[in-house]
Amino acid sequence: MSVEITSGEDRYDIVVDGKPAGHLDTRTRTDAILFLHTEISDDFAGQGLAGKLVTAALDDVRAQGRSVLPYCPYVRSFIAKHREYEDLVPEDKRAEFEL
């Protein structure tokens, strides 16, 4: 299985074996990148692709030196389970996202 994750304007996409498998919608603000919605196609459900997509997106934000506001419930729960990404959420915003 070949997995490719790309980023575009306000979106990260995941492609499996050349087929679109899902996306993560974002909005860029001057102070942070808002993670709004994660979606994986039913054809690719249960393969751990959402986690791969969110990991790649969070790593990309870290590489940019930016912060994240996880409005997407999946991203919020992912960060809660993977505390190594909690520092990407500004400290004064963590309570708002129950982190």
mmCIF file of all heavy atoms in Angstrom, residues 7-38:
data_model
loop_
_atom_site.group_PDB
_atom_site.id
_atom_site.type_symbol
_atom_site.label_atom_id
_atom_site.label_comp_id
_atom_site.label_asym_id
_atom_site.label_seq_id
_atom_site.Cartn_x
_atom_site.Cartn_y
_atom_site.Cartn_z
ATOM 1 N N SER A 7 -0.026 18.696 1.040
ATOM 2 C CA SER A 7 -0.701 19.860 1.606
ATOM 3 C C SER A 7 -0.943 20.866 0.502
ATOM 4 O O SER A 7 -0.137 21.036 -0.406
ATOM 5 C CB SER A 7 0.121 20.477 2.738
ATOM 6 O OG SER A 7 1.344 20.963 2.258
ATOM 7 N N GLY A 8 -2.084 21.503 0.602
ATOM 8 C CA GLY A 8 -2.442 22.557 -0.336
ATOM 9 C C GLY A 8 -3.017 23.702 0.462
ATOM 10 O O GLY A 8 -2.902 23.735 1.682
ATOM 11 N N GLU A 9 -3.661 24.595 -0.213
ATOM 12 C CA GLU A 9 -4.246 25.740 0.479
ATOM 13 C C GLU A 9 -5.426 25.280 1.326
ATOM 14 O O GLU A 9 -6.394 24.732 0.811
ATOM 15 C CB GLU A 9 -4.706 26.782 -0.534
ATOM 16 C CG GLU A 9 -5.136 28.067 0.123
ATOM 17 C CD GLU A 9 -5.385 29.165 -0.890
ATOM 18 O OE1 GLU A 9 -4.732 29.157 -1.948
ATOM 19 O OE2 GLU A 9 -6.235 30.005 -0.604
ATOM 20 N N ASP A 10 -5.302 25.448 2.635
ATOM 21 C CA ASP A 10 -6.357 25.116 3.592
ATOM 22 C C ASP A 10 -6.739 23.638 3.599
ATOM 23 O O ASP A 10 -7.886 23.291 3.896
ATOM 24 C CB ASP A 10 -7.611 25.975 3.342
ATOM 25 C CG ASP A 10 -7.388 27.434 3.689
ATOM 26 O OD1 ASP A 10 -6.502 27.725 4.512
ATOM 27 O OD2 ASP A 10 -8.098 28.283 3.143
ATOM 28 N N ARG A 11 -5.760 22.750 3.319
ATOM 29 C CA ARG A 11 -6.129 21.334 3.263
ATOM 30 C C ARG A 11 -4.892 20.435 3.206
ATOM 31 O O ARG A 11 -3.896 20.777 2.582
ATOM 32 C CB ARG A 11 -6.965 21.140 2.024
ATOM 33 C CG ARG A 11 -7.570 19.806 1.830
ATOM 34 C CD ARG A 11 -8.500 19.917 0.639
ATOM 35 N NE ARG A 11 -8.871 18.613 0.168
ATOM 36 C CZ ARG A 11 -10.107 18.208 0.011
ATOM 37 N NH1 ARG A 11 -11.093 19.017 0.265
ATOM 38 N NH2 ARG A 11 -10.366 17.011 -0.425
ATOM 39 N N TYR A 12 -5.006 19.296 3.851
ATOM 40 C CA TYR A 12 -4.049 18.196 3.692
ATOM 41 C C TYR A 12 -4.845 17.050 3.090
ATOM 42 O O TYR A 12 -5.975 16.785 3.504
ATOM 43 C CB TYR A 12 -3.475 17.757 5.039
ATOM 44 C CG TYR A 12 -2.532 18.760 5.660
ATOM 45 C CD1 TYR A 12 -3.002 19.786 6.461
ATOM 46 C CD2 TYR A 12 -1.161 18.683 5.439
ATOM 47 C CE1 TYR A 12 -2.143 20.713 7.034
ATOM 48 C CE2 TYR A 12 -0.289 19.602 6.003
ATOM 49 C CZ TYR A 12 -0.793 20.613 6.807
ATOM 50 O OH TYR A 12 0.069 21.522 7.373
ATOM 51 N N ASP A 13 -4.254 16.363 2.115
ATOM 52 C CA ASP A 13 -4.912 15.230 1.464
ATOM 53 C C ASP A 13 -4.091 13.970 1.664
ATOM 54 O O ASP A 13 -2.859 14.023 1.683
ATOM 55 C CB ASP A 13 -5.050 15.492 -0.040
ATOM 56 C CG ASP A 13 -6.034 16.601 -0.344
ATOM 57 O OD1 ASP A 13 -7.241 16.381 -0.124
ATOM 58 O OD2 ASP A 13 -5.604 17.685 -0.778
ATOM 59 N N ILE A 14 -4.795 12.835 1.778
ATOM 60 C CA ILE A 14 -4.117 11.544 1.841
ATOM 61 C C ILE A 14 -4.595 10.715 0.652
ATOM 62 O O ILE A 14 -5.791 10.652 0.361
ATOM 63 C CB ILE A 14 -4.351 10.830 3.196
ATOM 64 C CG1 ILE A 14 -3.487 9.573 3.295
ATOM 65 C CG2 ILE A 14 -5.817 10.553 3.465
ATOM 66 C CD1 ILE A 14 -3.362 9.017 4.709
ATOM 67 N N VAL A 15 -3.629 10.138 -0.055
ATOM 68 C CA VAL A 15 -3.883 9.344 -1.257
ATOM 69 C C VAL A 15 -3.290 7.964 -1.034
ATOM 70 O O VAL A 15 -2.134 7.834 -0.614
ATOM 71 C CB VAL A 15 -3.251 10.026 -2.494
ATOM 72 C CG1 VAL A 15 -3.437 9.188 -3.739
ATOM 73 C CG2 VAL A 15 -3.826 11.423 -2.689
ATOM 74 N N VAL A 16 -4.063 6.926 -1.304
ATOM 75 C CA VAL A 16 -3.612 5.546 -1.138
ATOM 76 C C VAL A 16 -3.641 4.863 -2.499
ATOM 77 O O VAL A 16 -4.687 4.820 -3.156
ATOM 78 C CB VAL A 16 -4.502 4.783 -0.132
ATOM 79 C CG1 VAL A 16 -4.090 3.327 -0.031
ATOM 80 C CG2 VAL A 16 -4.465 5.452 1.236
ATOM 81 N N ASP A 17 -2.494 4.357 -2.906
ATOM 82 C CA ASP A 17 -2.369 3.693 -4.208
ATOM 83 C C ASP A 17 -2.983 4.528 -5.336
ATOM 84 O O ASP A 17 -3.691 4.022 -6.206
ATOM 85 C CB ASP A 17 -3.004 2.300 -4.162
ATOM 86 C CG ASP A 17 -2.282 1.367 -3.203
ATOM 87 O OD1 ASP A 17 -1.056 1.552 -2.999
ATOM 88 O OD2 ASP A 17 -2.928 0.465 -2.633
ATOM 89 N N GLY A 18 -2.726 5.838 -5.294
ATOM 90 C CA GLY A 18 -3.188 6.739 -6.339
ATOM 91 C C GLY A 18 -4.635 7.191 -6.223
ATOM 92 O O GLY A 18 -5.109 7.956 -7.052
ATOM 93 N N LYS A 19 -5.350 6.718 -5.184
ATOM 94 C CA LYS A 19 -6.762 7.075 -5.028
ATOM 95 C C LYS A 19 -6.940 8.003 -3.832
ATOM 96 O O LYS A 19 -6.415 7.726 -2.751
ATOM 97 C CB LYS A 19 -7.603 5.821 -4.820
ATOM 98 C CG LYS A 19 -7.561 4.873 -5.990
ATOM 99 C CD LYS A 19 -8.321 3.610 -5.689
ATOM 100 C CE LYS A 19 -8.149 2.628 -6.836
ATOM 101 N NZ LYS A 19 -8.559 1.284 -6.460
ATOM 102 N N PRO A 20 -7.721 9.081 -3.991
ATOM 103 C CA PRO A 20 -7.984 9.964 -2.849
ATOM 104 C C PRO A 20 -8.661 9.173 -1.733
ATOM 105 O O PRO A 20 -9.643 8.467 -1.968
ATOM 106 C CB PRO A 20 -8.940 11.019 -3.416
ATOM 107 C CG PRO A 20 -8.796 10.934 -4.904
ATOM 108 C CD PRO A 20 -8.391 9.527 -5.207
ATOM 109 N N ALA A 21 -8.116 9.282 -0.522
ATOM 110 C CA ALA A 21 -8.654 8.510 0.596
ATOM 111 C C ALA A 21 -9.237 9.394 1.696
ATOM 112 O O ALA A 21 -10.009 8.920 2.527
ATOM 113 C CB ALA A 21 -7.558 7.615 1.182
ATOM 114 N N GLY A 22 -8.862 10.669 1.715
ATOM 115 C CA GLY A 22 -9.397 11.540 2.750
ATOM 116 C C GLY A 22 -8.695 12.879 2.769
ATOM 117 O O GLY A 22 -7.790 13.136 1.972
ATOM 118 N N HIS A 23 -9.131 13.727 3.717
ATOM 119 C CA HIS A 23 -8.548 15.063 3.815
ATOM 120 C C HIS A 23 -8.737 15.632 5.215
ATOM 121 O O HIS A 23 -9.555 15.157 5.987
ATOM 122 C CB HIS A 23 -9.169 15.998 2.774
ATOM 123 C CG HIS A 23 -10.646 16.187 2.968
ATOM 124 N ND1 HIS A 23 -11.564 15.363 2.378
ATOM 125 C CD2 HIS A 23 -11.347 17.077 3.695
ATOM 126 C CE1 HIS A 23 -12.779 15.751 2.734
ATOM 127 N NE2 HIS A 23 -12.665 16.791 3.542
ATOM 128 N N LEU A 24 -7.954 16.654 5.493
ATOM 129 C CA LEU A 24 -8.042 17.429 6.725
ATOM 130 C C LEU A 24 -8.166 18.888 6.308
ATOM 131 O O LEU A 24 -7.269 19.433 5.667
ATOM 132 C CB LEU A 24 -6.797 17.211 7.595
ATOM 133 C CG LEU A 24 -6.583 18.119 8.799
ATOM 134 C CD1 LEU A 24 -7.747 18.053 9.764
ATOM 135 C CD2 LEU A 24 -5.295 17.743 9.513
ATOM 136 N N ASP A 25 -9.305 19.503 6.640
ATOM 137 C CA ASP A 25 -9.539 20.904 6.288
ATOM 138 C C ASP A 25 -8.940 21.808 7.358
ATOM 139 O O ASP A 25 -9.092 21.553 8.559
ATOM 140 C CB ASP A 25 -11.037 21.189 6.183
ATOM 141 C CG ASP A 25 -11.686 20.465 5.015
ATOM 142 O OD1 ASP A 25 -11.009 20.284 3.980
ATOM 143 O OD2 ASP A 25 -12.861 20.077 5.134
ATOM 144 N N THR A 26 -8.278 22.870 6.908
ATOM 145 C CA THR A 26 -7.638 23.818 7.816
ATOM 146 C C THR A 26 -7.949 25.245 7.378
ATOM 147 O O THR A 26 -8.418 25.467 6.262
ATOM 148 C CB THR A 26 -6.103 23.638 7.825
ATOM 149 O OG1 THR A 26 -5.584 23.979 6.528
ATOM 150 C CG2 THR A 26 -5.694 22.227 8.193
ATOM 151 N N ARG A 27 -7.674 26.172 8.252
ATOM 152 C CA ARG A 27 -7.693 27.600 7.920
ATOM 153 C C ARG A 27 -6.458 28.202 8.562
ATOM 154 O O ARG A 27 -6.173 27.935 9.733
ATOM 155 C CB ARG A 27 -8.939 28.318 8.456
ATOM 156 C CG ARG A 27 -10.241 27.899 7.845
ATOM 157 C CD ARG A 27 -10.340 28.270 6.365
ATOM 158 N NE ARG A 27 -11.547 27.736 5.765
ATOM 159 C CZ ARG A 27 -11.675 26.555 5.191
ATOM 160 N NH1 ARG A 27 -10.653 25.735 5.132
ATOM 161 N NH2 ARG A 27 -12.810 26.163 4.645
ATOM 162 N N THR A 28 -5.770 29.029 7.822
ATOM 163 C CA THR A 28 -4.551 29.653 8.343
ATOM 164 C C THR A 28 -4.867 31.065 8.807
ATOM 165 O O THR A 28 -5.447 31.855 8.055
ATOM 166 C CB THR A 28 -3.467 29.682 7.255
ATOM 167 O OG1 THR A 28 -3.212 28.342 6.829
ATOM 168 C CG2 THR A 28 -2.183 30.285 7.789
ATOM 169 N N ARG A 29 -4.507 31.325 10.057
ATOM 170 C CA ARG A 29 -4.598 32.679 10.603
ATOM 171 C C ARG A 29 -3.184 33.122 10.937
ATOM 172 O O ARG A 29 -2.255 32.320 10.932
ATOM 173 C CB ARG A 29 -5.461 32.697 11.874
ATOM 174 C CG ARG A 29 -6.898 32.350 11.604
ATOM 175 C CD ARG A 29 -7.840 32.708 12.725
ATOM 176 N NE ARG A 29 -7.265 32.647 14.058
ATOM 177 C CZ ARG A 29 -7.966 32.453 15.171
ATOM 178 N NH1 ARG A 29 -9.260 32.287 15.101
ATOM 179 N NH2 ARG A 29 -7.375 32.426 16.347
ATOM 180 N N THR A 30 -3.034 34.384 11.245
ATOM 181 C CA THR A 30 -1.690 34.875 11.553
ATOM 182 C C THR A 30 -1.130 34.224 12.818
ATOM 183 O O THR A 30 0.067 33.974 12.899
ATOM 184 C CB THR A 30 -1.690 36.404 11.733
ATOM 185 O OG1 THR A 30 -2.657 36.752 12.722
ATOM 186 C CG2 THR A 30 -2.001 37.108 10.437
ATOM 187 N N ASP A 31 -1.989 33.903 13.775
ATOM 188 C CA ASP A 31 -1.514 33.376 15.048
ATOM 189 C C ASP A 31 -1.499 31.847 15.118
ATOM 190 O O ASP A 31 -0.846 31.280 15.989
ATOM 191 C CB ASP A 31 -2.344 33.934 16.204
ATOM 192 C CG ASP A 31 -3.821 33.592 16.090
ATOM 193 O OD1 ASP A 31 -4.306 33.400 14.953
ATOM 194 O OD2 ASP A 31 -4.499 33.527 17.129
ATOM 195 N N ALA A 32 -2.222 31.161 14.239
ATOM 196 C CA ALA A 32 -2.318 29.696 14.338
ATOM 197 C C ALA A 32 -2.959 29.111 13.080
ATOM 198 O O ALA A 32 -3.543 29.830 12.274
ATOM 199 C CB ALA A 32 -3.152 29.312 15.560
ATOM 200 N N ILE A 33 -2.864 27.791 12.976
ATOM 201 C CA ILE A 33 -3.570 27.065 11.926
ATOM 202 C C ILE A 33 -4.734 26.342 12.589
ATOM 203 O O ILE A 33 -4.542 25.592 13.556
ATOM 204 C CB ILE A 33 -2.638 26.079 11.198
ATOM 205 C CG1 ILE A 33 -1.517 26.868 10.506
ATOM 206 C CG2 ILE A 33 -3.427 25.253 10.178
ATOM 207 C CD1 ILE A 33 -0.478 26.018 9.831
ATOM 208 N N LEU A 34 -5.929 26.593 12.110
ATOM 209 C CA LEU A 34 -7.123 25.962 12.657
ATOM 210 C C LEU A 34 -7.329 24.633 11.953
ATOM 211 O O LEU A 34 -7.370 24.579 10.716
ATOM 212 C CB LEU A 34 -8.353 26.852 12.439
ATOM 213 C CG LEU A 34 -8.506 28.080 13.305
ATOM 214 C CD1 LEU A 34 -7.348 29.042 13.197
ATOM 215 C CD2 LEU A 34 -9.809 28.785 12.989
ATOM 216 N N PHE A 35 -7.416 23.555 12.721
ATOM 217 C CA PHE A 35 -7.735 22.240 12.176
ATOM 218 C C PHE A 35 -9.238 22.053 12.364
ATOM 219 O O PHE A 35 -9.720 21.967 13.488
ATOM 220 C CB PHE A 35 -6.947 21.153 12.902
ATOM 221 C CG PHE A 35 -5.522 21.006 12.437
ATOM 222 C CD1 PHE A 35 -4.805 22.063 11.913
ATOM 223 C CD2 PHE A 35 -4.890 19.783 12.532
ATOM 224 C CE1 PHE A 35 -3.488 21.917 11.489
ATOM 225 C CE2 PHE A 35 -3.576 19.623 12.113
ATOM 226 C CZ PHE A 35 -2.876 20.680 11.588
ATOM 227 N N LEU A 36 -9.986 21.991 11.255
ATOM 228 C CA LEU A 36 -11.440 22.068 11.309
ATOM 229 C C LEU A 36 -12.165 20.741 11.142
ATOM 230 O O LEU A 36 -13.159 20.488 11.818
ATOM 231 C CB LEU A 36 -11.932 23.050 10.240
ATOM 232 C CG LEU A 36 -11.370 24.465 10.357
ATOM 233 C CD1 LEU A 36 -11.804 25.303 9.164
ATOM 234 C CD2 LEU A 36 -11.800 25.100 11.660
ATOM 235 N N HIS A 37 -11.712 19.900 10.220
ATOM 236 C CA HIS A 37 -12.477 18.687 9.921
ATOM 237 C C HIS A 37 -11.564 17.637 9.279
ATOM 238 O O HIS A 37 -10.845 17.944 8.330
ATOM 239 C CB HIS A 37 -13.622 19.023 8.963
ATOM 240 C CG HIS A 37 -14.431 17.848 8.548
ATOM 241 N ND1 HIS A 37 -15.296 17.196 9.401
ATOM 242 C CD2 HIS A 37 -14.509 17.192 7.373
ATOM 243 C CE1 HIS A 37 -15.870 16.188 8.765
ATOM 244 N NE2 HIS A 37 -15.402 16.158 7.515
ATOM 245 N N THR A 38 -11.625 16.422 9.804
ATOM 246 C CA THR A 38 -10.886 15.295 9.242
ATOM 247 C C THR A 38 -11.896 14.301 8.688
ATOM 248 O O THR A 38 -12.871 13.967 9.366
ATOM 249 C CB THR A 38 -10.030 14.597 10.322
ATOM 250 O OG1 THR A 38 -9.176 15.562 10.937
ATOM 251 C CG2 THR A 38 -9.192 13.474 9.725
#
